[in-house]
Amino acid sequence: MRNALRTAGMLILLVVLAAALVWVVVYWNPEPRQVNQELNIRRAPVGGDFELASYQGPVSLRQFRGKVVALYFGYTQCPDICPTSLGYLSLALSQLSPEELAGFQGLFVSVDPERDTLQRLKDYGEYFNAAILGITGPAEMIDDVVRRYGAAYRKTETGSQMGYIIDHSADTYLIDRKGKLRAVLPHGTAPEEILAALRKLLREE
Amino acid sequence: MKRLIFSLFTAAAVLSGGLVFAATAADEVTVTDAYARAVPPGQPNSASFMLLSNASTTAHAVVAAESSVSKVSELHTHTMSEGMMKMRQVERIEIPASGMTRLEPGGLHVMLIGLNHDLQPGDEVAITLTFEDGSKRGITAPVRMLQMKKMQQDMGGMEHGRMSQ
């Protein structure tokens, strides 16, 4: 009897171990360690204030209280995605009245501080609209903003002649006059939809 | 003699028939709606977009590109994964038999890398496409900012932005 119990116990142990082994083999898939502090896991956006650098000096989200802010993460060497996002945004902005535009600020956060100088970011933002300011900062500070807004980016070496490129999320974050994150517009959102979302927030006090 | 002439004639017919049959990919693929994107001053790269239409019953592919305005041109595509837009070089852009392939923002495009000068609206870019059989086709792509009309037709069906609260 005792032997039978022991055998049963051993069998159960064996089954449990085998199951554990199967689980490890099938499901345990550790991500390769990232060398750089780059964020490739998107989190739920919470928003919040931040301070980064512009050609005019430090810029904080707080100083745009009273304005509706559109926040976007990208880099100026981005060949297609950023110009598309900013192009659509600029088309929406071109529909705003001067009064409405006065209540708006665009912030383009470069996740490529290595290559994007503050002067370059100034020119890049203004190319799309004078109300779009290009800003950046040290990687830790960028990563903090990226994390809080649920964005993501990853520097990637490719075989391309371009040198490194940066994979990045391409959503536009709309922040209301009180500094609260209110809308996340996915990449490809049409200008008229961006316009409607902006107007909705611009109408608020 | 008659027979000889007949043979020659037949040979010529076969040969010319063979030539018609051996139409190159460049002959069979038409390129429309080509344009290159205007870029901010100092921008090192841009992209060109177009519609490739294949009228033949043979699948074709673009395998390389060259342009008058950039040091290098490459074929690229975008995919969305892990919440990020990822751009990668591709070996070839397939155009199915009796089908079309559209190169457009957010997807397939000809990357113009190392621009010789800023691309401004009104400029033109000469692009040479090389196909899988080595045949080539030259096209002229006007430089444009985003096209409102095209964009509305492309983007009309997109979902609305998620409004939090």
Side-chain angles (χ1 to χ4, degrees), chain A residues 66-68 93 95-105 177 199 202-203:
Chain A
K67 290 192 176 192
V68 172
L93 295 178
Q95 302 298 306
L96 293 178
S97 69
E99 298 74 45
E100 287 174 314
L101 197 55
F104 171 83
Q105 180 64 51
R177 295 182 191 270
R199 285 220 161 107
L202 283 166
R203 276 196 296 270

PDB file of all heavy atoms in Angstrom, chain A residues 66-68 93 95-105 177 199 202-203:
ATOM      1  N   GLY A  66      -3.967  76.134 -21.645  1.00  0.00           N
ATOM      2  CA  GLY A  66      -4.811  77.112 -22.334  1.00  0.00           C
ATOM      3  C   GLY A  66      -4.812  76.863 -23.839  1.00  0.00           C
ATOM      4  O   GLY A  66      -5.636  77.414 -24.563  1.00  0.00           O
ATOM      5  N   LYS A  67      -3.853  76.014 -24.288  1.00  0.00           N
ATOM      6  CA  LYS A  67      -3.842  75.651 -25.708  1.00  0.00           C
ATOM      7  C   LYS A  67      -4.133  74.162 -25.867  1.00  0.00           C
ATOM      8  O   LYS A  67      -3.890  73.372 -24.952  1.00  0.00           O
ATOM      9  CB  LYS A  67      -2.472  75.948 -26.326  1.00  0.00           C
ATOM     10  CG  LYS A  67      -2.174  77.437 -26.463  1.00  0.00           C
ATOM     11  CD  LYS A  67      -0.952  77.657 -27.336  1.00  0.00           C
ATOM     12  CE  LYS A  67      -0.728  79.155 -27.532  1.00  0.00           C
ATOM     13  NZ  LYS A  67       0.248  79.461 -28.564  1.00  0.00           N
ATOM     14  N   VAL A  68      -4.608  73.811 -27.031  1.00  0.00           N
ATOM     15  CA  VAL A  68      -4.740  72.403 -27.387  1.00  0.00           C
ATOM     16  C   VAL A  68      -3.409  71.985 -28.017  1.00  0.00           C
ATOM     17  O   VAL A  68      -2.883  72.680 -28.885  1.00  0.00           O
ATOM     18  CB  VAL A  68      -5.898  72.197 -28.392  1.00  0.00           C
ATOM     19  CG1 VAL A  68      -5.904  70.761 -28.923  1.00  0.00           C
ATOM     20  CG2 VAL A  68      -7.227  72.545 -27.743  1.00  0.00           C
ATOM     21  N   LEU A  93      -4.557  71.711 -39.920  1.00  0.00           N
ATOM     22  CA  LEU A  93      -4.291  73.038 -39.344  1.00  0.00           C
ATOM     23  C   LEU A  93      -4.607  74.148 -40.346  1.00  0.00           C
ATOM     24  O   LEU A  93      -5.040  75.234 -39.961  1.00  0.00           O
ATOM     25  CB  LEU A  93      -2.823  73.148 -38.903  1.00  0.00           C
ATOM     26  CG  LEU A  93      -2.403  72.216 -37.760  1.00  0.00           C
ATOM     27  CD1 LEU A  93      -0.913  72.383 -37.460  1.00  0.00           C
ATOM     28  CD2 LEU A  93      -3.241  72.469 -36.508  1.00  0.00           C
ATOM     29  N   GLN A  95      -6.976  74.358 -42.163  1.00  0.00           N
ATOM     30  CA  GLN A  95      -8.420  74.621 -42.173  1.00  0.00           C
ATOM     31  C   GLN A  95      -8.870  75.449 -40.970  1.00  0.00           C
ATOM     32  O   GLN A  95     -10.016  75.878 -40.895  1.00  0.00           O
ATOM     33  CB  GLN A  95      -9.196  73.289 -42.168  1.00  0.00           C
ATOM     34  CG  GLN A  95      -8.879  72.359 -43.323  1.00  0.00           C
ATOM     35  CD  GLN A  95      -9.229  72.963 -44.660  1.00  0.00           C
ATOM     36  OE1 GLN A  95     -10.366  73.395 -44.872  1.00  0.00           O
ATOM     37  NE2 GLN A  95      -8.260  73.042 -45.559  1.00  0.00           N
ATOM     38  N   LEU A  96      -7.983  75.610 -39.989  1.00  0.00           N
ATOM     39  CA  LEU A  96      -8.366  76.347 -38.781  1.00  0.00           C
ATOM     40  C   LEU A  96      -8.348  77.852 -39.062  1.00  0.00           C
ATOM     41  O   LEU A  96      -7.542  78.335 -39.849  1.00  0.00           O
ATOM     42  CB  LEU A  96      -7.399  76.037 -37.628  1.00  0.00           C
ATOM     43  CG  LEU A  96      -7.395  74.619 -37.059  1.00  0.00           C
ATOM     44  CD1 LEU A  96      -6.344  74.498 -35.952  1.00  0.00           C
ATOM     45  CD2 LEU A  96      -8.772  74.230 -36.516  1.00  0.00           C
ATOM     46  N   SER A  97      -9.214  78.577 -38.366  1.00  0.00           N
ATOM     47  CA  SER A  97      -9.188  80.039 -38.468  1.00  0.00           C
ATOM     48  C   SER A  97      -7.969  80.535 -37.684  1.00  0.00           C
ATOM     49  O   SER A  97      -7.430  79.813 -36.844  1.00  0.00           O
ATOM     50  CB  SER A  97     -10.458  80.618 -37.843  1.00  0.00           C
ATOM     51  OG  SER A  97     -10.425  80.415 -36.435  1.00  0.00           O
ATOM     52  N   PRO A  98      -7.519  81.771 -37.937  1.00  0.00           N
ATOM     53  CA  PRO A  98      -6.374  82.301 -37.183  1.00  0.00           C
ATOM     54  C   PRO A  98      -6.622  82.264 -35.668  1.00  0.00           C
ATOM     55  O   PRO A  98      -5.692  81.980 -34.894  1.00  0.00           O
ATOM     56  CB  PRO A  98      -6.265  83.748 -37.686  1.00  0.00           C
ATOM     57  CG  PRO A  98      -6.891  83.730 -39.038  1.00  0.00           C
ATOM     58  CD  PRO A  98      -7.969  82.699 -38.979  1.00  0.00           C
ATOM     59  N   GLU A  99      -7.864  82.503 -35.256  1.00  0.00           N
ATOM     60  CA  GLU A  99      -8.177  82.476 -33.813  1.00  0.00           C
ATOM     61  C   GLU A  99      -8.023  81.063 -33.268  1.00  0.00           C
ATOM     62  O   GLU A  99      -7.478  80.865 -32.188  1.00  0.00           O
ATOM     63  CB  GLU A  99      -9.615  82.952 -33.545  1.00  0.00           C
ATOM     64  CG  GLU A  99      -9.926  84.388 -33.959  1.00  0.00           C
ATOM     65  CD  GLU A  99     -10.066  84.560 -35.465  1.00  0.00           C
ATOM     66  OE1 GLU A  99     -10.738  83.722 -36.093  1.00  0.00           O
ATOM     67  OE2 GLU A  99      -9.470  85.513 -36.010  1.00  0.00           O
ATOM     68  N   GLU A 100      -8.547  80.099 -34.041  1.00  0.00           N
ATOM     69  CA  GLU A 100      -8.425  78.705 -33.596  1.00  0.00           C
ATOM     70  C   GLU A 100      -6.950  78.306 -33.534  1.00  0.00           C
ATOM     71  O   GLU A 100      -6.503  77.681 -32.579  1.00  0.00           O
ATOM     72  CB  GLU A 100      -9.169  77.772 -34.561  1.00  0.00           C
ATOM     73  CG  GLU A 100     -10.676  77.847 -34.453  1.00  0.00           C
ATOM     74  CD  GLU A 100     -11.369  77.008 -35.536  1.00  0.00           C
ATOM     75  OE1 GLU A 100     -10.972  77.090 -36.716  1.00  0.00           O
ATOM     76  OE2 GLU A 100     -12.304  76.276 -35.198  1.00  0.00           O
ATOM     77  N   LEU A 101      -6.203  78.690 -34.563  1.00  0.00           N
ATOM     78  CA  LEU A 101      -4.787  78.328 -34.633  1.00  0.00           C
ATOM     79  C   LEU A 101      -4.001  78.936 -33.465  1.00  0.00           C
ATOM     80  O   LEU A 101      -3.045  78.338 -32.973  1.00  0.00           O
ATOM     81  CB  LEU A 101      -4.199  78.780 -35.977  1.00  0.00           C
ATOM     82  CG  LEU A 101      -2.878  78.149 -36.402  1.00  0.00           C
ATOM     83  CD1 LEU A 101      -2.967  76.622 -36.425  1.00  0.00           C
ATOM     84  CD2 LEU A 101      -2.459  78.655 -37.782  1.00  0.00           C
ATOM     85  N   ALA A 102      -4.435  80.105 -33.025  1.00  0.00           N
ATOM     86  CA  ALA A 102      -3.768  80.757 -31.893  1.00  0.00           C
ATOM     87  C   ALA A 102      -3.918  79.920 -30.615  1.00  0.00           C
ATOM     88  O   ALA A 102      -3.139  80.075 -29.668  1.00  0.00           O
ATOM     89  CB  ALA A 102      -4.328  82.153 -31.685  1.00  0.00           C
ATOM     90  N   GLY A 103      -4.924  79.051 -30.606  1.00  0.00           N
ATOM     91  CA  GLY A 103      -5.155  78.209 -29.431  1.00  0.00           C
ATOM     92  C   GLY A 103      -4.542  76.830 -29.589  1.00  0.00           C
ATOM     93  O   GLY A 103      -4.901  75.895 -28.871  1.00  0.00           O
ATOM     94  N   PHE A 104      -3.604  76.699 -30.534  1.00  0.00           N
ATOM     95  CA  PHE A 104      -3.030  75.376 -30.828  1.00  0.00           C
ATOM     96  C   PHE A 104      -1.505  75.393 -30.753  1.00  0.00           C
ATOM     97  O   PHE A 104      -0.857  76.382 -31.110  1.00  0.00           O
ATOM     98  CB  PHE A 104      -3.450  74.922 -32.238  1.00  0.00           C
ATOM     99  CG  PHE A 104      -2.739  73.680 -32.689  1.00  0.00           C
ATOM    100  CD1 PHE A 104      -3.187  72.427 -32.314  1.00  0.00           C
ATOM    101  CD2 PHE A 104      -1.576  73.773 -33.465  1.00  0.00           C
ATOM    102  CE1 PHE A 104      -2.502  71.274 -32.706  1.00  0.00           C
ATOM    103  CE2 PHE A 104      -0.892  72.628 -33.855  1.00  0.00           C
ATOM    104  CZ  PHE A 104      -1.350  71.377 -33.470  1.00  0.00           C
ATOM    105  N   GLN A 105      -0.934  74.282 -30.285  1.00  0.00           N
ATOM    106  CA  GLN A 105       0.519  74.091 -30.350  1.00  0.00           C
ATOM    107  C   GLN A 105       0.830  72.654 -30.761  1.00  0.00           C
ATOM    108  O   GLN A 105       0.308  71.708 -30.176  1.00  0.00           O
ATOM    109  CB  GLN A 105       1.156  74.386 -28.985  1.00  0.00           C
ATOM    110  CG  GLN A 105       2.663  74.201 -28.963  1.00  0.00           C
ATOM    111  CD  GLN A 105       3.376  75.196 -29.889  1.00  0.00           C
ATOM    112  OE1 GLN A 105       3.148  76.400 -29.822  1.00  0.00           O
ATOM    113  NE2 GLN A 105       4.231  74.690 -30.778  1.00  0.00           N
ATOM    114  N   ARG A 177      -6.797  71.844 -23.232  1.00  0.00           N
ATOM    115  CA  ARG A 177      -6.290  73.122 -22.717  1.00  0.00           C
ATOM    116  C   ARG A 177      -5.838  73.022 -21.265  1.00  0.00           C
ATOM    117  O   ARG A 177      -5.101  73.866 -20.766  1.00  0.00           O
ATOM    118  CB  ARG A 177      -7.381  74.202 -22.823  1.00  0.00           C
ATOM    119  CG  ARG A 177      -7.786  74.540 -24.253  1.00  0.00           C
ATOM    120  CD  ARG A 177      -8.818  75.654 -24.224  1.00  0.00           C
ATOM    121  NE  ARG A 177      -9.473  75.889 -25.498  1.00  0.00           N
ATOM    122  CZ  ARG A 177      -9.024  76.743 -26.431  1.00  0.00           C
ATOM    123  NH1 ARG A 177      -7.909  77.409 -26.249  1.00  0.00           N
ATOM    124  NH2 ARG A 177      -9.703  76.918 -27.547  1.00  0.00           N
ATOM    125  N   ARG A 199     -10.990  70.555 -33.291  1.00  0.00           N
ATOM    126  CA  ARG A 199     -12.067  71.546 -33.056  1.00  0.00           C
ATOM    127  C   ARG A 199     -12.860  71.210 -31.809  1.00  0.00           C
ATOM    128  O   ARG A 199     -13.247  72.095 -31.047  1.00  0.00           O
ATOM    129  CB  ARG A 199     -13.005  71.608 -34.272  1.00  0.00           C
ATOM    130  CG  ARG A 199     -12.399  72.353 -35.452  1.00  0.00           C
ATOM    131  CD  ARG A 199     -13.448  73.227 -36.141  1.00  0.00           C
ATOM    132  NE  ARG A 199     -12.823  74.260 -36.962  1.00  0.00           N
ATOM    133  CZ  ARG A 199     -12.798  74.246 -38.305  1.00  0.00           C
ATOM    134  NH1 ARG A 199     -13.369  73.257 -38.960  1.00  0.00           N
ATOM    135  NH2 ARG A 199     -12.232  75.237 -38.969  1.00  0.00           N
ATOM    136  N   LEU A 202     -10.791  72.431 -29.101  1.00  0.00           N
ATOM    137  CA  LEU A 202     -10.636  73.900 -29.154  1.00  0.00           C
ATOM    138  C   LEU A 202     -11.898  74.609 -28.658  1.00  0.00           C
ATOM    139  O   LEU A 202     -11.827  75.722 -28.143  1.00  0.00           O
ATOM    140  CB  LEU A 202     -10.325  74.342 -30.595  1.00  0.00           C
ATOM    141  CG  LEU A 202      -8.875  74.108 -31.057  1.00  0.00           C
ATOM    142  CD1 LEU A 202      -8.760  74.245 -32.576  1.00  0.00           C
ATOM    143  CD2 LEU A 202      -7.925  75.080 -30.356  1.00  0.00           C
ATOM    144  N   ARG A 203     -13.046  73.943 -28.812  1.00  0.00           N
ATOM    145  CA  ARG A 203     -14.302  74.558 -28.364  1.00  0.00           C
ATOM    146  C   ARG A 203     -14.423  74.589 -26.842  1.00  0.00           C
ATOM    147  O   ARG A 203     -15.195  75.352 -26.293  1.00  0.00           O
ATOM    148  CB  ARG A 203     -15.505  73.813 -28.952  1.00  0.00           C
ATOM    149  CG  ARG A 203     -15.871  74.267 -30.370  1.00  0.00           C
ATOM    150  CD  ARG A 203     -17.264  73.794 -30.760  1.00  0.00           C
ATOM    151  NE  ARG A 203     -17.350  72.334 -30.820  1.00  0.00           N
ATOM    152  CZ  ARG A 203     -17.099  71.622 -31.929  1.00  0.00           C
ATOM    153  NH1 ARG A 203     -16.780  72.223 -33.045  1.00  0.00           N
ATOM    154  NH2 ARG A 203     -17.201  70.309 -31.914  1.00  0.00           N
TER     155      ARG A 203
END
